[in-house]
Amino acid sequence: QDYLAESGGGFVQTGGSLKLSCVGTGSKFSDYAMGWFRQASGKERVFVAAVSASGAITSYADSVKGRFIIRRENAENTIHLQMNSLQPEDTAVYYCVGGPPFRSAQAMEVAGASANYGAWGQGTQVTVSS
């Protein structure tokens, strides 16, 4: 069975930082891009960041570029999202995604949340106070 597990969410004040982690269990994740989406209450799930299968190329939503950093570890089934300068607008459940069909970070961004990904994590809540 292939699945993803997120950790690191929590409650922070505006301007604070959090680091999210996602670990994939299974054999397929290392061959594909992995990334993060988020969904605020009552809103659509939207792209945040992704990293290519190789770990060399990343993509970020305009709303987080310059504040968030995605990184893929040498163990290619593990990714992290370092979130800095957090704002209330960042409050959402953050979901890790990976597996087929995308190998490039850009393809994951373009495809969006509705694509048929191999696996989704169950989500971790990030709350930023105003």
Side-chain angles (χ1 to χ4, degrees):
Q1 294 181 346
D2 298 318
Y3 62 91
L4 298 165
E6 306 99 332
S7 62
F11 183 91
V12 299
Q13 295 182 335
T14 297
S17 297
L18 286 172
K19 183 179 179 180
L20 307 183
S21 298
C22 174
V23 178
T25 298
S27 61
K28 67 182 180 182
F29 295 110
S30 63
D31 294 329
Y32 297 94
M34 297 179 69
W36 296 92
F37 288 74
R38 67 187 183 188
Q39 186 167 16
S41 180
K43 305 295 184 181
E44 296 181 343
R45 189 173 300 186
V46 298
F47 175 80
V48 176
V51 58
S52 66
S54 70
I57 301 173
T58 58
S59 185
Y60 297 92
D62 288 342
S63 60
V64 306
K65 190 174 183 179
R67 299 188 296 121
F68 292 9
I69 300 171
I70 188 170
R71 186 179 76 254
R72 192 164 195 150
E73 291 191 353
N74 291 333
E76 294 178 342
N77 63 334
T78 301
I79 61 169
H80 305 278
L81 185 69
Q82 178 65 50
M83 305 185 294
N84 301 315
S85 301
L86 284 162
Q87 303 297 314
E89 293 76 20
D90 298 314
T91 295
V93 177
Y94 284 69
Y95 297 92
C96 180
V97 68
F102 304 112
R103 288 184 167 86
S104 77
Q106 293 81 6
M108 182 174 289
E109 178 178 8
V110 171
S114 63
N116 186 23
Y117 295 100
W120 287 92
Q122 64 182 348
T124 185
Q125 176 72 48
V126 172
T127 302
V128 185
S129 67
S130 60

